[in-house]
Amino acid sequence: MKIDLTETTSSKINQALVSGRRAIGTPAIGMVLTLVIVTDEENAYDALKAASDSSREHPSRIIAVIKRVSRSPRSRRDARLDAEVRVGSDSGTGETVVLRLHGELANHAQSVVLPLLLPDAPVVVWWPQDAPADPAKDPLGALAQRRITDTYSAVRPLDELAVRGATYSPGDTDLAWTRITPWRSMLAAALDQQAAEVVAASVEGESDNPSCELLAMWLADRLGVPVERTQSEGPGLTAVRMETKNGTVTLHRPDGSLATLSMEGQPDRGVALKRRETAELLAEELRRLDPDTTYASAVKFGPDKLAGPEAESGKSGEKAPAATPAATPGAAKKAAAKKAASK
């Protein structure tokens, strides 16, 4: 059931939710949290679909906040709230409210969202793209116990990842981190079978892929060994190699679906490591509402501490400066000979 409201208020939206529940014969719906999605018109459909799919595991009230850009100065001064209320089969297992904020109201979204939050229930805010630099200090983010961003959608993902580490607050998380959960689980299980100490590691994947950087930072932070970040054609994360005193442990996924785990003295094993959809990632993050201290430690480690050409250059995509003639062996020999001849 869908109810469209034009030039409405938060009070009228709450009344529409009650009327909608009564109309479908379920005056009480058990919902465990409020999920606030801050997005735009271009990405609203995909974000709402992912949230609706994840609500099958976590029944919730989904509130999509869409800030409409006004073209003329007069329309920018006019504040208007339009809403679409969905209940029943049109909203998964919970309720959905799509808010479109026009004019000056777009700068005060928290005042519209606050009356619509479920009482005595956790609040999670998700930015599918264009997340604020400091989510915890954002007016909407301040309402939430958990704040979900996605550095993969940023124009410069590695720069965005550095910002996430600098502004981290308890409750922050990122879908780039969620994507590597199966990798972290498999690598931890592999190390349980290896008595030898890890002395070095490398992570291979696409350039400008924040998941690869996060996995490398996690390994470096937890193992206390140098981790090299190398590039491949993808898709996504393709390989992790850990050097131990007993040999190399390798987890290789060339096609984005099936990986191979190789360890010294043991037969190779096939491992399912399929790249997951956004709905699965979101559902995983909604399973926990306490601060993720492991993510905090990894993201604060910083990509600049990783070994490899990109890390040494200091910026993603920036090549290391070419060696000067005096730095090359041939030039050094010539300079020494010239100096000796002048004596």
Side-chain angles (χ1 to χ4, degrees):
M1 180 178 181
K2 295 183 181 180
I3 303 173
D4 290 322
L5 301 171
T6 304
E7 296 188 15
T8 187
T9 63
S10 297
S11 176
K12 292 179 180 178
I13 293 171
N14 271 318
Q15 293 175 10
L17 286 168
V18 174
S19 300
R21 288 198 298 266
R22 289 176 176 170
I24 62 175
T26 55
I29 298 178
M31 291 173 285
V32 298
L33 58 88
T34 302
L35 175 61
V36 180
I37 307 172
V38 186
T39 184
D40 53 20
E41 290 287 1
E42 180 182 357
N43 298 281
Y45 175 82
D46 291 337
L48 283 168
K49 185 178 185 304
S52 179
D53 291 343
S54 68
S55 72
R56 303 182 192 284
E57 182 177 340
H58 309 279
S60 55
R61 175 175 289 179
I62 302 168
I63 302 176
V65 179
I66 302 174
K67 299 178 181 181
R68 299 295 298 269
V69 178
S70 302
R71 297 182 179 180
S72 66
R74 178 176 297 178
S75 59
R76 283 195 290 269
R77 288 194 299 269
D78 295 336
R80 191 177 93 238
L81 172 63
D82 298 333
E84 180 182 328
V85 177
R86 306 176 187 175
V87 293
S89 59
D90 292 315
S91 183
T93 59
E95 302 171 336
T96 299
V97 179
V98 182
L99 304 174
R100 289 181 171 86
L101 284 64
H102 301 258
E104 185 62 26
L105 190 62
N107 298 324
H108 304 279
Q110 72 279 5
S111 63
V112 179
V113 171
L114 187 59
L116 301 176
L117 301 178
L118 290 172
D120 302 322
V123 178
V124 179
V125 178
W126 173 34
W127 291 269
Q129 70 290 312
D130 299 329
D134 192 342
K137 292 184 179 179
D138 181 82
L140 283 173
L143 301 175
Q145 286 76 37
R146 288 278 279 175
R147 295 165 294 276
I148 304 173
T149 56
D150 190 356
T151 54
Y152 190 80
S153 65
V155 177
R156 298 176 62 90
L158 301 190
D159 292 343
E160 188 79 4
L161 187 61
V163 172
R164 294 286 155 257
T167 62
Y168 173 83
S169 294
D172 291 355
T173 191
D174 196 280
L175 293 186
W177 172 254
T178 319
R179 290 184 179 95
I180 61 174
T181 299
W183 285 82
R184 293 188 294 117
S185 300
M186 188 54 58
L187 293 171
L191 289 180
D192 286 340
Q193 304 175 42
Q194 284 284 337
E197 180 183 357
V198 178
V199 296
S202 65
V203 175
E204 178 184 285
E206 291 175 323
S207 62
D208 289 340
N209 189 314
S211 294
C212 300
E213 306 294 326
L214 278 168
L215 183 58
M217 292 189 291
W218 172 70
L219 286 172
D221 178 53
R222 290 293 165 178
L223 298 176
V225 300
V227 178
E228 183 180 6
R229 171 70 169 92
T230 60
Q231 293 185 12
S232 71
E233 296 297 325
L237 182 58
T238 53
V240 176
R241 296 176 180 86
M242 297 183 292
E243 302 290 340
T244 73
K245 296 180 179 179
N246 289 346
T248 304
V249 177
T250 303
L251 186 58
H252 185 219
R253 185 189 67 177
D255 60 356
S257 178
L258 184 65
T260 302
L261 178 63
S262 304
M263 292 190 290
E264 193 73 24
Q266 298 187 24
D268 293 350
R269 282 172 280 179
V271 180
L273 279 179
K274 183 181 178 181
R275 304 184 76 189
R276 298 182 293 169
E277 300 292 334
T278 304
E280 297 179 67
L281 303 174
L282 186 61
E284 178 183 325
E285 283 301 333
L286 294 179
R287 288 179 200 137
R288 60 177 302 167
L289 297 174
D290 57 315
D292 189 341
T293 55
T294 307
Y295 165 72
S297 183
V299 77
K300 288 180 180 179
F301 185 85
D304 57 317
K305 297 179 183 178
L306 300 175
E310 284 195 359
E312 291 172 2
S313 67
K315 293 183 180 180
S316 61
E318 180 180 331
K319 295 182 180 179
T324 60
T328 61
K333 289 180 180 180
K334 289 180 181 179
K338 184 177 180 181
K339 183 176 181 180
S342 64
K343 290 183 179 180

